[in-house]
Amino acid sequence: MSHSDATRAVEAVWRIESARLIGALSRMVGDVGLAEEFAQDALVSALEKWPKEGVPAKPGAWLTTVAKRRILDRWRRDERFQDRMVELGREIDERDGQAEFDAVLEEDYGDDLLRLMFVCCHPVLATQARVALTLRMLGGLTTDEIARAFLVPEATVAQRIVRAKRTLAKKNVPFEVPVGADRDARVESVLEVVYLVFNEGYVATSGTDWTRPRLSEEAMRLGRVLCDLLPKDHEVHGLLALMELNASRFRARVGPDGAPVPLDKQNRGRWDRLLITRGLRALSRSVPDDPGRARGPYSLQAAIAAQHAIAPTAADTDWSAIAVLYEELVRTTRNPVAELNRAVAVSMALGPGPALGIVDRLRDVPAMAGYPMLSAVRGDLLARLDRAEEARAEFERAAELTRNESERALLLGRARAL
């Protein structure tokens, strides 16, 4: 095969296999940074050999074998790894000698992936570091791809990843699935990272593009993996439902000129019915078995997204039901952004007057200072109340606060129209 064909094949295999490979190697060496180093060595070997020898029948197994050989070679000449070799030998002994060395290393890939997710999203890391490390280790994205997705210098992303690996090693973060109360907190951290990645793709915080679907697609892929690994966790299914229901609107959210299209103006015939079906199915799995148990925040947001998805037209939307769901979400999260969204639902159900009172109370919340959507929503409510001068000032303020150029253009357009 040609060198370019082999290179494309290596890249495709890496996208598919890198997370499982790094997970398995992390279990061997007990260090995520070293695991990626050995995985990269295997990748380089593939780039050297596959153009000459062709792509092997089982490319993932080929990469794993090469990486394990590199590890064993390192163990033989480096005292640092001797203790880990002893531990693996003890694992084999505890199985009464029934398992061979490779069998120990190749046991349940699912557990390895889950462990890797918990490590990459560990709370000892800053949020930006968790996001970068997750996309690198679990998404197989290069530092350049991550940097372009978030519109930051490649050196910045590389530095975040390096520091994250060092922090994990310094804190001796174990490569394990946590249990008990710690497990719930760690699952929440994983879900937060996945949702942050999705949201950055759904509404880009900066730059010229309104959306970056590639990021959202990667988040949904991680969400599906999580559902396979944690099938009994209702909030995991709730997050996947939320992402798929929102992602179903991607094709309709941007006009031919690249400008954002508001929800009520979108062509619902362009909504992805397959994603809606999958999202509703995931939503049904997010309902707690115990009727007295409250739904989690992702499940509630998914239920809200479902109300939009099942409405044939914007006029058919059950805004009263959405307002009730937002009220439950506010009680659960105490999140002022959820309260702002409740105000929007109230305005659609009862009119702009009652909603404006909710929004005005939020102006005194410190966390909402500088949040562009607060001014944008207030501007919309004032416009509907025929208070044009005040509305125009709010839209202009929102335009000043946003870092997304498409959103800024939309807001300034609203201001000019008044």
Side-chain angles (χ1 to χ4, degrees), residues 132-407:
L133 193 63
T134 298
L135 289 174
R136 175 71 171 164
M137 298 294 186
L138 291 157
L141 275 64
T142 64
T143 52
D144 176 59
E145 288 171 324
I146 299 169
R148 282 189 280 113
F150 286 92
L151 302 183
V152 296
E154 184 178 356
T156 300
V157 173
Q159 191 175 53
R160 287 174 186 168
I161 292 172
V162 169
R163 286 178 176 172
K165 293 175 186 175
R166 287 176 180 166
T167 299
L168 292 172
K170 184 178 179 180
K171 299 288 186 180
N172 292 317
V173 173
F175 189 69
E176 64 182 13
V177 175
V179 296
D182 184 42
R183 179 187 179 280
D184 294 337
R186 296 279 296 282
V187 170
E188 184 178 334
S189 179
V190 173
L191 297 183
E192 178 191 16
V193 168
V194 174
Y195 191 44
L196 281 171
V197 173
F198 177 84
N199 265 348
E200 184 60 32
Y202 191 68
V203 182
T205 55
S206 60
T208 57
D209 295 329
W210 175 237
T211 63
R212 296 182 196 134
R214 169 72 189 280
L215 276 177
S216 293
E217 289 166 4
E218 182 59 36
M220 286 190 289
R221 186 186 71 79
L222 292 174
R224 292 175 190 129
V225 170
L226 271 173
C227 285
D228 288 339
L229 298 176
L230 299 170
K232 296 182 180 180
D233 193 305
H234 300 294
E235 269 294 80
V236 170
H237 292 287
L239 174 58
L240 180 60
L242 173 60
M243 293 191 295
E244 292 190 323
L245 289 168
N246 282 342
S248 70
R249 305 198 290 264
F250 257 121
R251 288 199 299 261
R253 294 185 71 237
V254 179
D257 58 352
V261 179
L263 180 61
D264 61 333
K265 301 290 194 299
Q266 289 176 15
N267 177 2
R268 299 191 176 210
R270 301 196 68 201
W271 287 6
D272 190 322
R273 306 313 301 182
L274 176 60
L275 279 177
I276 290 174
T277 300
R278 292 171 64 163
L280 293 175
R281 187 183 304 127
L283 179 61
S284 69
R285 293 170 181 162
S286 74
V287 179
D289 301 323
D290 180 2
R293 183 179 175 186
R295 287 178 287 184
Y298 296 113
S299 299
L300 286 169
Q301 291 176 80
I304 292 166
Q307 288 294 330
H308 293 295
I310 64 177
T313 67
D316 294 316
T317 306
D318 190 343
W319 286 104
S320 295
I322 291 175
V324 170
L325 287 166
Y326 269 123
E327 190 173 358
E328 187 178 349
L329 181 62
V330 171
R331 285 198 304 268
T332 301
T333 64
R334 305 295 179 188
N335 188 319
V337 175
E339 180 74 343
L340 179 64
N341 289 329
R342 184 176 79 86
V344 173
V346 168
S347 78
M348 299 302 292
L350 302 176
L356 185 60
I358 299 172
V359 173
D360 283 346
R361 287 193 294 273
L362 288 171
R363 299 173 79 188
D364 297 326
V365 177
M368 298 298 280
Y371 184 56
M373 289 310 298
L374 178 62
S375 294
V377 170
R378 192 167 189 272
D380 183 72
L381 297 176
L382 290 167
R384 289 165 61 187
L385 290 167
D386 296 323
R387 294 162 61 177
E389 286 294 327
E390 295 171 83
R392 183 167 64 247
E394 289 291 348
F395 283 127
E396 289 173 348
R397 172 174 167 74
E400 290 175 2
L401 292 172
T402 185
R403 292 188 292 136
N404 184 281
E405 294 179 21
S406 294
E407 186 175 45

